[in-house]
């Protein structure tokens, strides 16, 4: 793909965010059970907060299975933009879409969203604590993450779960560690991005994205 | 004291099948006990005993990695024992003092469990070590996740890692265990925080017998994790994951003195303590539920704790 083509795509992406600077977060049933909504369409909701992100967000719905009721809370702030009212009080299957939260994006989030379309993203395999492998951490300490090149098969991160350490191997194309989305020792949810890797030839495009969004976004 | 242990798979198997070992699980029906022990039977199917090693885990890792394309994988349940370790270490960069007289071993366990059950292995190993120590008359407890201590002094430590190696990229849980059995002299910086079975009992323990017993308890408790997985898979899809007491977690509760204690939590609690809280519960996945002073609840699935109070 030429830089010109990338520019066209980038303009499209940017105009998309400009016309609708929101993220629409669909919330699904975490498991089968009877659902009771705790919010209405148009309700404002808060995300998790606190020093350790330990204060739960607004309760969205309660789901009950085998007399075990579980309250599902919002992880992000925003407004409930749609809600399947007809499911209130009904038994639903796991994965059923229940509501959508319209989350206003900040400039930093827009940059990250665009970058995540361009970078190779390494997601967290399980909800666990993560830290860089000793070799990668030492290279980051010496030169900074954006000077560290990773290759397919490199042991880059250690996942620590229940005092059991599991190495995580890099499986993407070679590149530099451009974005790190966790602090070593932090708890990261399954599927959340751990880091984004950028092939060196894409670096000019990445820099351009960041510069343009910073310059043009109000 | 040479500390050299003499133990063979046949000797271990004979003990596991005997009445003495069965008597530790009187509450367990024969049908369940046999099923559990069948799952745990590979423990000690191959046993290597060395006078000394830098680390048992390193040698085990080398053996996993050395398997060539035409060779069978390393037998799950392989155990490496050493009379002393010259380069023992704990988590992070902490040193582990492993002189003659202790039981220092590493076990390779094939990674065949579903992830939600694999994460219970560290708890199960903690229960096994604690029960083995208690079976010799030492009133040990488990501190979450799996530190073994007697009245606040550490008597045993466990390391768990996942390792993939060999031509076929076989994946194993590598379990390192150190128990202070007959070693009674500790370096000055450990004298206030460590103890041994010999120090507690006032006499040495039969090291061969203890190592055999430890492996037999590991068979049971690792087997219990597989048995729990079997029970879960037997249940219908609609019932799976429902909140109910897990046998592995329930067993761990019996050996632990963590719940109800005031603790300091941290990922590396020695170097970077994060917050104080009361340990209020352990959930079905083995995660610790902590309640800081502001009354909120935090669920920690990794990290470590220090006790701030007396039991």
């Amino acid at each position: 793909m030429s830089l010109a083509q990338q520019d066209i795509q980038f303009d499209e992406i940017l105009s998309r965010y400009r016309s609708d600077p929101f993220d629409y977060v669909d919330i699904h049933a975490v498991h089968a059970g009877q659902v009771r909504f705790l919010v209405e369409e148009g309700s404002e909701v808060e995300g998790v907060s606190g020093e350790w992100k330990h204060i739960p967000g607004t309760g969205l719905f309660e789901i009950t299975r085998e007399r075990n009721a579980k309250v599902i809370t919002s992880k992000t702030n925003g407004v409930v933009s749609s809600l399947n009212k007809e499911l209130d009080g009904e038994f639903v299957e796991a994965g059923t879409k229940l509501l959508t939260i319209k989350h206003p994006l900040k400039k930093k989030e827009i940059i990250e969203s665009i970058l995540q379309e361009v970078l190779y993203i390494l997601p967290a395999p399980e909800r666990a604590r993560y830290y860089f492998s000793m070799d990668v951490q030492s290279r980051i300490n010496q030169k900074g993450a954006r000077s560290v090149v990773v290759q397919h098969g490199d042991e880059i991160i250690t996942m620590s779960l229940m005092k059991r350490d599991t190495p995580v191997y890099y499986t993407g194309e070679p590149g530099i560690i451009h974005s790190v989305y966790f602090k070593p020792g932090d708890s990261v949810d399954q599927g959340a991005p751990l880091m984004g890797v950028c092939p060196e030839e894409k670096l000019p495009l990445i820099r351009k994205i960041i510069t343009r969004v910073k310059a043009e976004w109000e | 004291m040479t500390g050299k242990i003499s133990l063979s798979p046949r000797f271990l198997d004979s003990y596991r099948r005997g009445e003495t070992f069965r008597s530790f699980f009187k509450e367990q029906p024969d049908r369940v006990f046999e099923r559990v022990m069948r799952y745990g039977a590979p423990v000690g199917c191959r046993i290597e005993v060395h006078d000394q090693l830098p680390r048992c885990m390193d040698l085990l890792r080398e053996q996993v990695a050395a398997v060539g394309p035409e060779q069978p994988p390393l037998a799950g349940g392989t155990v490496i024992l050493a009379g002393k370790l010259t380069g023992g270490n704990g988590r992070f960069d902490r040193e582990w003092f492993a002189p003659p007289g202790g039981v220092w071993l590493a076990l390779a366990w094939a990674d065949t469990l579903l992830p939600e059950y694999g994460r219970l292995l560290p708890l199960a190993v903690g229960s096994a070590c604690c029960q083995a120590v208690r079976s010799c008359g030492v009133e040990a407890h488990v501190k979450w996740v799996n530190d073994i201590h007697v009245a606040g002094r550490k008597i045993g430590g466990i390391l768990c890692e996942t390792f993939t190696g060999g031509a076929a990229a076989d994946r194993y849980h590598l379990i390192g265990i150190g128990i202070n059995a007959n070693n009674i002299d500790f370096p000055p910086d450990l004298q206030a925080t460590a103890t041994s079975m010999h120090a507690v009992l006032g006499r040495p323990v039969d090291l061969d017998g203890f190592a055999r017993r430890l492996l037999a308890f590991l068979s049971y408790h690792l087997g219990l994790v597989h048995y729990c997985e079997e029970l879960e898979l037997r249940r219908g899809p609609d019932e799976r994951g429902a909140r109910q007491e897990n046998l592995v977690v329930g067993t761990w509760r019996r050996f632990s003195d963590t719940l109800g204690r005031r603790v300091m939590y941290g990922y590396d609690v020695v170097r970077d303590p994060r917050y104080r809280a009361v340990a209020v519960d352990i959930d079905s996945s083995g995660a610790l539920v902590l309640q800081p002073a502001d009354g909120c609840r935090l669920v920690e699935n990794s990290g470590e704790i220090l006790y701030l109070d007396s039991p």
Side-chain angles (χ1 to χ4, degrees), chain A residues 54-204:
Chain A
H54 62 289
I55 301 170
T58 308
L60 299 176
F61 62 92
E62 186 180 76
I63 187 160
T64 305
R65 179 177 62 183
E66 292 184 335
R67 293 192 291 279
N68 293 315
K70 185 187 283 178
V71 173
I72 304 301
T73 56
S74 180
K75 289 195 165 35
T76 184
N77 68 309
V79 171
V80 177
S81 59
S82 72
L83 185 142
N84 286 328
K85 280 182 198 154
E86 68 280 7
L87 296 177
D88 199 21
E90 297 296 316
F91 185 89
V92 300
E93 296 295 335
T96 305
K97 184 180 157 188
L98 299 174
L99 59 101
T100 301
I101 296 171
K102 187 177 174 184
H103 165 70
L105 291 167
K106 295 176 188 152
K107 190 195 290 188
K108 194 178 166 192
E109 289 174 308
I110 290 171
I111 292 173
E112 279 310 326
S113 299
I114 297 173
L115 285 182
Q116 287 190 21
E117 293 183 31
V118 183
L119 299 175
Y120 175 82
I121 299 295
L122 182 75
E126 290 186 58
R127 182 169 193 270
R129 290 186 185 273
Y130 291 85
Y131 52 97
F132 285 109
S133 69
M134 286 171 73
D135 173 50
V136 170
Q137 185 64 63
S138 124
R139 285 193 281 155
I140 290 173
N141 293 346
Q142 282 172 15
K143 300 177 183 172
R146 289 189 183 166
S147 302
V148 176
V149 177
V150 292
Q151 311 272 351
H152 182 93
D154 283 355
E155 180 186 332
I156 47 171
I157 283 177
T158 301
M159 175 179 83
S160 182
L161 179 62
M162 301 298 296
K163 224 177 121 188
R164 172 170 58 93
D165 292 341
T166 302
V168 178
Y169 298 95
Y170 180 66
T171 52
E173 51 187 312
I176 58 134
I177 299 176
H178 184 278
S179 302
V180 177
Y181 301 106
F182 72 103
K183 276 194 284 185
D186 269 4
S187 187
V188 181
D189 283 338
Q190 183 177 27
L194 290 171
M195 56 185 236
V197 173
C198 175
E200 282 187 283
E201 66 273 15
K202 276 192 179 174
L203 268 176

Side-chain angles (χ1 to χ4, degrees), chain B residues 158-219:
Chain B
I158 294 156
L159 272 182
C160 296
E161 297 174 10
T162 313
F163 182 70
T164 305
D170 297 306
R171 198 170 137 109
Y172 294 85
H173 299 284
L174 302 187
I175 298 161
I177 296 173
I179 305 282
N180 296 325
N182 289 338
N183 49 317
I184 47 173
D185 296 321
F186 294 97
D189 56 325
L190 293 181
Q191 281 172 7
T193 56
T195 190
S196 68
M197 295 168 73
H198 185 166
V200 173
L201 294 169
R203 57 175 165 76
V205 293
D206 164 17
L207 215 51
D208 294 351
F210 176 69
R212 178 187 61 190
R213 202 175 268 203
L214 175 61
L215 294 186
F217 281 117
L218 281 167
S219 299

